[in-house]
Amino acid sequence: MPLPRLGSTRELVIGPDNVWVSRQLEDRVLRVSTTGRVVGTTDFPEDSGPHGIDVDRRSHVWVTEEAGAAYAELDPVTGLITEHRTDVEGAKLAALDFDCFGNLWVRYNLPGLIDRVRPDLTVSRCTLPTTAPVGHRIISGPDGSMWFTELAADTVGSITTGCPTPRRRPEPTV
């Protein structure tokens, strides 16, 4: 196991029983107990750069691989990682989140794209009008839309999903 690298922690998501943390510079995802103890690690392919992270309705963990131009599904029971490569040459992926229909929305860091990945893994793509936007986050908003940021363009945008009710996250406890 490689030594921890400072500045590696990227994103986290609260799952049903654990907190999942992406460690980009270490190419791994940590499973952390609600008491704050690391209870498991999953190594991703070398130089993949796990970044964005979310949990689906089946409690599978989804992660973007910023350097690997892929998003991956981690089965927390078996530890199996299933990678899904993008067809965009030179792509760097940033964040991801699910909408109320179970569609996975994947935000590209470069180029200015957002993919909607349906549960059957068919993809539709949104091309943003901003040149060189440097995407960063995408989240399901309180109105059911998917909200995203563009760092270089200093912009916030949204995509209407048709969700009648927004997806609610568990409230954290202290």
Side-chain angles (χ1 to χ4, degrees):
M1 178 184 295
L3 295 174
R5 293 176 65 183
L6 294 177
S8 185
T9 300
R10 292 303 290 182
E11 306 284 337
L12 60 84
V13 66
I14 299 169
D17 302 317
N18 300 289
V19 177
W20 296 90
V21 180
S22 60
R23 299 279 295 172
Q24 188 174 29
L25 300 178
E26 296 173 8
D27 297 318
R28 72 170 41 120
V29 169
L30 304 180
R31 182 187 292 203
V32 180
S33 72
T34 56
T35 63
R37 192 171 56 86
V38 174
V39 295
T41 63
T42 301
D43 291 326
F44 275 68
E46 186 175 354
D47 297 324
S48 60
H51 186 142
I53 190 165
D54 203 5
V55 177
D56 70 14
R57 295 174 181 171
R58 300 169 301 146
S59 299
H60 285 202
V61 179
W62 289 79
V63 179
T64 57
E65 296 177 2
E66 184 174 32
Y71 52 95
E73 177 183 7
L74 166 62
D75 182 326
V77 175
T78 66
L80 178 68
I81 298 171
T82 305
E83 289 186 308
H84 305 278
R85 298 238 168 256
T86 180
D87 60 356
V88 177
E89 189 174 331
K92 292 186 177 290
L93 304 182
L96 49 75
D97 200 5
F98 287 92
D99 68 18
C100 69
F101 298 117
N103 296 311
L104 176 66
W105 293 78
V106 179
R107 180 71 171 103
Y108 287 66
N109 188 333
L110 292 171
L113 303 171
I114 296 174
D115 283 351
R116 179 180 63 182
V117 183
R118 293 172 188 82
D120 67 2
L121 299 178
T122 58
V123 177
S124 58
R125 181 165 290 145
C126 302
T127 301
L128 301 175
T130 312
T131 58
V134 186
H136 195 56
R137 300 280 188 266
I138 189 164
I139 61 167
S140 178
D143 61 352
S145 296
M146 298 304 295
W147 289 83
F148 59 90
T149 59
E150 299 179 24
L151 294 177
D154 200 21
T155 301
V156 174
S158 69
I159 300 171
T160 303
T161 64
C163 285
T165 57
R167 177 176 159 265
R168 299 280 182 212
R169 295 193 182 280
E171 291 295 322
T173 58
V174 179

